[in-house]
Each structure stands twice: as structure tokens, then as C-alpha cells.
Amino acid sequence: MKQTGDLHLMKRINKSIVMELIRHESPISRASIAEKTGLTKATVSSLVSELIESRLVDEIGAGESRGGRKPMLLLFNRTAGYAIGVDLGVTYITAVMTDLNGEIVNEVKIQHDNPPRDELIAELTRCIRELAERVPESAYGVVGIGIGIPGFADEEGNVLFAPNLGWEHVPLQRMLEDEFGIPVVIDNEANAGAVGEKEFGAGTRWPSLVYVSISAGIGTGIIIKEELYRGMSGFSGEIGHVSIQHDGKPCRCGNAGCWELYASEKALLDEAKEVYGQPRMKVDQLIRLAEEGDAKALALFDRLGRYLGIGIVNIINAFNPPAIIIGGRLAQAEAWLKQPLLEVVERRSLPYPRAQLEVQFSELGVRSTVLGACSFAISKFFSSTKVSVE
Ligand SMILES: [Zn+2]
């Protein structure tokens, strides 16, 4: 019996290796899969047949021949199923549906004013349902839902703490799985953003990166050698609460002088309130003013860029990452933030860890988190038994 179990496991592993290769390198021939994996041609053929049967792989016309019969090429069937990804923000919900390659096919956005928890969950459910009802005809339909939250979740998808939503201990994964009957993954919005940029955006070139999400607060997602670094119990990445001023402003986290009190959207808008004497300035408004050359707006962004630089110096010195990617809502102010930020980095970080570093702004803009959330759902689908040996 033991041996059967081992063979079963082996086959399952081989099948997922073949699937991964077709997903990432399609179109590809059976012969080159055998070459790249070291599996025998017979094994590859049998696994590929199963994948074709499960509709995840298609066979298309002949490829280049190296003498002899032209090989048929295998194509990943990216429309065999669809994923839903959600960015659950403090003032908005953005939800997208993508195919299995992360191409967006549909999107729903709403604004909200952070209503009581159950109302917000009802809104969230409506957004997901709206997308799910529009899923194209396909073999698997919606394969899963990923949600990026502004807070912490445990491995069972319970939202432990989302201070800006005012949530504590919400079993969100279970609630949504009960509602929709498909797998749900919950993770921090910055972790999702890091994965989004790594898979589909500015980070595809690097095996490791630190993603810095600058929105209401500052969150970071750390990817080390292709894996999210979550810390011992999932709470890593709170670099927004690293103190940059020991006797600075008090923070709701219990610390004082935290980076996000000086370099987040909230910090920018608080400053703007003072400078313009207007209570409700918005980021878009400040960007418009900066575009018009308004000196006060330019000074605000310059100052923010410098404060961002200070925290980024800490990240460089602590992690020596090959890339830092700046995302979140403030990434749209790149034109005014980048220069002062880079000046501080140049002047203050240690030269060796800085030497080969690249600092980039997000390529996916406000969609880093939703696309990362889709990626979580897609990964879960491919690691599930559906694509393994039944
Ligand atoms: Zn803090």
C-alpha cells in the first residue's frame, strides 16, 4: 500500500510540474517538456493526455521540426476558468475577474464610507456576485476568489485585525465560501500587491522584491526567492510602523514617530489641510494642482517623497533587495515623488546594498492588489486536486 501511495504522490507532483511548464512556457511540445523536466516521453505523453482531457491544455498546429514529423504544440487553455480578485479598501471596493493568466475580463468598482461590518460584507458579496454572474462559458467557471484586506488574516482566512475598517476576528473566508461554494483566499493588501507586481507588473524580472504600498497607511509585501515572506505567524511587513522619529507623533499602534505618520496619503492630506486651510483636500486635487505648477502642492509632494526615501533607506539597509516597487494610491504621484525619494536613497543608504538596487513605481497602478488576489485564487486552483491525480 505504501508504494502505491508514493507512486500516486509522485504522479501528482509530476503532473503539476508539467502543468506549470505549460502554463508558463506555452506553446511547448511534448519533447521539450521531457527535455526540460527529465521525465520520460511516455510519462509526459500520459500526463499531457490527462491535462487535455481536463480541458486545461489544448493541442494546436505543428511547431518547428528538427527533422522528422513536426511536433504538435501544447497551449495552456487560459480560458478554462476564471478568478475573482478583490481589493477591499477603507473607502472603496475594486473587484476584477481574470482568466487563468491574469488577463482582466471584467471589473466592478464602488465607493463606500466604511459602513458597519455586516453592511460592508453585503456590499462585498454583491460586487463578487455581479462579476460571478458574468463569467464566460468555460470548463471550470469561477475557480476561486482572492481578497486583499487592509489588515491581518490567519491561515484559515479569519480577518484578525483590520484597524482602518474597525474589524476584529471576522471569519471572512468561511462566510464567503458558504455564500459562493468555491475556495476563497484572504491576505493582506500589500502581500497581494507584491504578488500582483511580481506576477504581472513591474516585478517579473526579480526573484525577490519589497513592495511598498502607500495608501491611507503604508504596508509592505516582502517576496524572497519567489515566496512571500510572512514571518513566524503571518505578521511581517509592518514597516509602516518602523519608527523614524523616536519622540515623534504618537501612533495608534502604540509606537511613536512611525514612518506612515509622515509618508502616507493621510500624512499628505493632513499637511495639505494646514497649507491650504481647507478641510477636505483629495489626492487627485493635489495632483491637478501639481500639474498646474502650484508651488504649495509641489512642496508637499517633495516633502512626502523625502519622507518616503527615509523609510526606503531602512528597507534597503535591512533587506538588500534587488528591487523595491512603490505602489498604492500615491504611486500615481510618481512624477513628483521619485526625484526627492531617490535623492534621499542616494545620500543616506549604505552603498553596498544600494549598488544594484532598482527602485520602480508600480506598473499595475491601482490594480496591483486585485491582480495579486486573483493570483492567489489561481494558485490555489492549480494546487488543488482538480488538476492533480484524482
Ligand atoms: Zn505605528
Side-chain angles (χ1 to χ4, degrees):
M1 282 313 284
K2 175 81 167 52
Q3 202 185 9
T4 319
D6 287 348
L7 286 173
H8 189 80
L9 178 65
M10 188 70 83
K11 187 175 171 196
R12 200 173 145 158
I13 292 168
N14 287 341
K15 194 169 174 183
S16 74
I17 290 171
V18 171
M19 184 69 241
E20 282 303 288
L21 205 60
I22 298 173
R23 260 178 85 193
H24 294 109
E25 299 192 21
S26 122
I28 187 169
S29 68
R30 288 174 177 80
S32 83
I33 294 174
E35 217 168 276
K36 289 186 181 195
T37 57
L39 296 169
T40 65
K41 283 185 183 168
T43 304
V44 169
S45 276
S46 123
L47 294 174
V48 164
S49 300
E50 288 181 23
L51 289 169
I52 290 175
E53 205 165 296
S54 65
R55 314 257 313 262
L56 290 163
V57 171
D58 286 332
E59 205 164 28
I60 52 158
E64 285 290 302
S65 164
R66 278 181 268 166
R69 200 157 58 91
K70 289 190 172 180
M72 295 293 278
L73 289 178
L74 301 166
L75 200 65
F76 172 46
N77 182 12
R78 59 195 177 86
T79 55
Y82 294 84
I84 291 177
V86 182
D87 178 0
L88 175 60
V90 179
T91 56
Y92 63 90
I93 295 172
T94 304
V96 301
M97 175 180 281
T98 68
D99 66 21
L100 297 176
N101 258 354
E103 287 288 328
I104 295 178
V105 296
N106 245 314
E107 184 164 23
V108 172
K109 280 182 187 177
I110 62 154
Q111 296 286 324
H112 64 78
D113 49 4
N114 196 11
R117 193 191 78 185
D118 290 346
E119 266 175 57
L120 186 54
I121 292 174
E123 286 284 338
L124 172 66
T125 307
R126 263 196 293 282
C127 289
I128 296 171
R129 186 171 305 289
E130 196 179 327
L131 282 176
E133 281 169 356
R134 290 192 245 155
V135 65
E137 185 62 38
S138 54
Y140 293 95
V142 182
V143 301
I145 300 165
I147 318 252
I149 53 152
F152 300 120
D154 65 15
E155 282 181 358
E156 280 76 51
N158 298 304
V159 179
L160 298 179
F161 185 46
N164 292 328
L165 289 177
W167 288 15
E168 261 181 276
H169 297 283
V170 182
L172 190 61
Q173 179 181 325
R174 189 176 52 71
M175 292 164 99
L176 294 175
E177 283 182 345
D178 287 351
E179 181 77 28
F180 293 99
I182 48 177
V184 174
V185 185
I186 314 275
D187 208 326
N188 172 266
E189 60 90 19
N191 282 349
V195 169
E197 290 293 334
K198 173 84 182 72
E199 290 282 310
F200 312 114
T204 53
R205 281 188 287 145
W206 296 286
S208 309
L209 59 84
V210 179
Y211 170 80
V212 182
S213 164
I214 314 158
S215 293
I218 296 182
T220 57
I222 302 159
I223 294 179
I224 300 177
K225 295 185 180 157
E226 313 286 345
E227 296 266 347
L228 260 179
Y229 177 74
R230 295 172 184 282
M232 189 177 76
S233 35
F235 304 136
S236 69
E238 286 301 311
I239 300 172
H241 294 285
V242 167
S243 182
I244 60 167
Q245 207 145 352
H246 82 278
D247 56 353
K249 305 176 195 179
C251 183
R252 59 187 164 74
C253 76
N255 198 351
C258 293
W259 184 29
E260 73 168 37
L261 300 177
Y262 303 87
S264 61
E265 181 182 291
K266 184 170 183 310
L268 176 75
L269 297 181
D270 285 350
E271 283 287 318
K273 207 188 302 180
E274 298 269 312
V275 169
Y276 289 96
Q278 283 179 38
R280 278 170 189 272
M281 296 291 286
K282 293 216 160 127
V283 174
D284 294 352
Q285 214 177 335
L286 288 171
I287 287 180
R288 258 197 317 278
L289 285 165
E291 278 166 352
E292 290 159 9
D294 179 86
K296 288 185 210 162
L298 292 172
L300 283 172
F301 281 122
D302 184 81
R303 186 178 145 96
L304 190 84
R306 282 172 206 287
Y307 271 122
L308 277 173
I310 289 170
I312 285 170
V313 166
N314 291 339
I315 295 174
I316 296 168
N317 291 352
F319 291 97
N320 180 24
I324 293 177
I325 293 166
I326 318 265
R329 279 201 303 274
L330 273 185
Q332 52 180 325
E334 173 181 358
W336 304 283
L337 296 177
K338 195 167 185 177
Q339 202 46 43
L341 184 161
L342 290 179
E343 269 172 38
V344 171
V345 165
E346 188 66 27
R347 209 174 59 240
R348 296 177 66 146
S349 62
L350 288 164
Y352 286 104
R354 183 183 69 228
Q356 291 175 39
L357 168 82
E358 286 196 44
V359 178
Q360 292 223 343
F361 278 67
S362 147
E363 266 176 24
L364 305 174
V366 291
R367 295 206 182 93
S368 319
T369 295
V370 274
L371 286 173
C374 283
S375 175
F376 289 143
I378 295 167
S379 301
K380 188 159 184 172
F381 171 68
F382 279 106
S383 64
S384 75
T385 52
K386 280 206 181 80
V387 286
S388 309
V389 180
E390 297 294 337

